Amino acid sequence: MALLWDQHACLPLQPDADVGYLTRFARSGPTYVSVNVGYAPQTFVDSTNLLAHFTSHISAHPGLAVATTLHDIDAAGERGQIAIGFDLEDSNPLDGDLDNVHRFVELGVRTMLPTYNHANAAGCGCLDVTDTGLTSWGRLLVREMNSAGMVPDGSHCSARTGLELCEVSAKPVIYSHSCMRSVWEHPRNITDEQARECARTGGVVGITGVGIFLGPNTPTLDAMTRHLEYAVELVGIDHVGVSTDHSFDADDFLAEIRDHPDSFDDSYTRWGPIEWMAPEVFVTLGAHLSGRGWADTDVAAVLGGNFRRVAAVSW
């Protein structure tokens, strides 16, 4: 069975978070899930503490395995375990120190977004009114990521920031969890130009299972497939992947949206509480695509082969 590669999912960002939630991705074939360990509110200490907790508890769980290399992913699949890696949704946990990029890679973090929705030291976010793109420090950050083996990720970034990521990066750029704006108008979704530039770098657009990004708030396989098929037609089968962005911390996240309306505009709230695609639904995507007549090779590429290729080049 083809590898399923979920490039972004979220556990509660708390030291006592239950990693057992991740077993909901269980299936008969090999599976890799990248788990967020911090975004704009977290510091270096916060995120490294989360990494220590997640790593320890994942290693102790019989159904899970920490994976920092492709060999680790393959070995976990052979043992019937879900392979788990890590990502950052903002550069704030670096504490402004580019050397921390290498420290995070040593701890298993393999992808990072420069910004989360709003401008920071690296660049602009997708909810900013004024889009000035990457900063000078942000350009240095991308080069440091290339050097360290960390993949630049344009999700949550502004359009110009995402385009400039592709301009600066010497290695593939991804959009780990972003849908297509031409299919559903939402500031978190990416333009055709962003997708094309991502593909030009050898990267992958990861269509995600969040209802408000699929449109209007429908986290269904049919809704995901509309975005997948549009993206494949636009940039080719080799440059499209998938992710859930499933929030096992949904209650915490919805409370944050409610309590911080300055950080999340009405594009996050106008359709009611956000709905996420359940992992149990996500793992049936391959069968769904096959049922629509997709070739086995195309299903394998989108489910995980394309993100695996980026890892082989970049990690």
Side-chain angles (χ1 to χ4, degrees):
M1 182 178 283
L3 168 68
L4 179 63
W5 186 299
D6 184 344
Q7 185 51 58
H8 181 73
C10 301
L11 287 172
L13 293 174
Q14 300 165 359
D16 59 350
D18 181 4
V19 302
Y21 289 131
L22 298 170
T23 60
R24 290 177 58 190
F25 287 99
R27 57 194 287 269
S28 58
T31 305
Y32 172 81
V33 180
S34 182
V35 174
N36 175 36
V37 291
Y39 69 121
Q42 276 69 47
T43 65
F44 180 76
V45 170
D46 293 333
S47 289
T48 52
N49 284 343
L50 287 167
L51 277 162
H53 165 77
F54 289 167
T55 298
S56 173
H57 286 260
I58 289 166
S59 298
H61 196 291
L64 306 173
V66 174
T68 60
T69 67
L70 290 177
H71 174 75
D72 292 340
I73 295 173
D74 295 339
E78 290 170 2
R79 294 190 301 266
Q81 296 174 303
I82 300 168
I84 307 297
F86 304 108
D87 62 71
L88 286 165
E89 274 198 289
D90 192 272
S91 56
N92 192 64
L94 297 177
D95 286 355
D97 185 349
L98 293 176
D99 288 340
N100 283 336
V101 172
H102 296 264
R103 297 185 180 104
F104 274 122
V105 168
E106 292 170 359
L107 294 171
V109 175
R110 286 303 194 174
T111 62
M112 181 171 65
L113 287 63
T115 67
Y116 181 90
N117 287 359
H118 294 287
N120 63 9
C124 288
C126 64
L127 299 185
D128 286 324
V129 175
T130 302
D131 184 0
T132 56
L134 280 175
T135 64
S136 297
W137 187 81
R139 290 170 179 267
L140 293 175
L141 172 61
V142 176
R143 297 187 180 102
E144 202 68 33
M145 293 172 71
N146 287 165
S147 172
M150 185 185 285
V151 181
D153 183 348
S155 293
H156 286 280
C157 295
S158 69
R160 181 173 169 183
T161 296
L163 293 171
E164 291 179 356
L165 278 180
C166 296
E167 173 190 312
V168 172
S169 182
K171 292 184 178 180
V173 171
I174 66 169
Y175 285 88
S176 63
H177 55 297
S178 291
C179 294
M180 301 302 301
R181 195 173 297 187
S182 290
V183 177
W184 176 248
E185 179 68 32
H186 193 284
R188 263 282 285 114
N189 291 346
I190 65 171
T191 66
D192 289 1
E193 183 183 13
Q194 286 174 273
R196 290 192 191 99
E197 286 304 297
C198 171
R200 183 188 58 76
T201 72
V204 175
V205 175
I207 301 300
T208 195
V210 180
I212 61 170
F213 307 150
L214 290 168
N217 196 5
T218 52
T220 65
L221 293 176
D222 284 338
M224 177 177 270
T225 301
R226 284 195 295 274
H227 287 264
L228 287 172
E229 292 181 342
Y230 182 88
V232 168
E233 181 69 21
L234 181 71
V235 298
I237 195 67
D238 294 330
H239 301 289
V240 181
V242 288
S243 69
T244 56
D245 192 14
H246 186 81
S247 290
F248 295 105
D249 60 343
D251 289 343
D252 293 341
F253 185 59
L254 292 173
E256 182 172 354
I257 292 173
R258 181 195 65 225
D259 296 340
H260 298 89
D262 54 325
S263 298
F264 300 92
D265 67 17
D266 72 346
S267 67
Y268 276 77
T269 59
R270 71 178 68 154
W271 298 283
I274 299 172
E275 297 183 20
W276 285 267
M277 180 176 289
E280 295 85 357
V281 174
F282 179 67
V283 299
T284 69
L285 176 62
H288 178 80
L289 296 177
S290 294
R292 288 181 60 83
W294 281 45
D296 289 347
T297 53
D298 290 351
V299 171
V302 167
L303 286 190
N306 293 334
F307 272 130
R308 182 190 171 93
R309 183 193 69 245
V310 170
V313 171
S314 302
W315 290 8

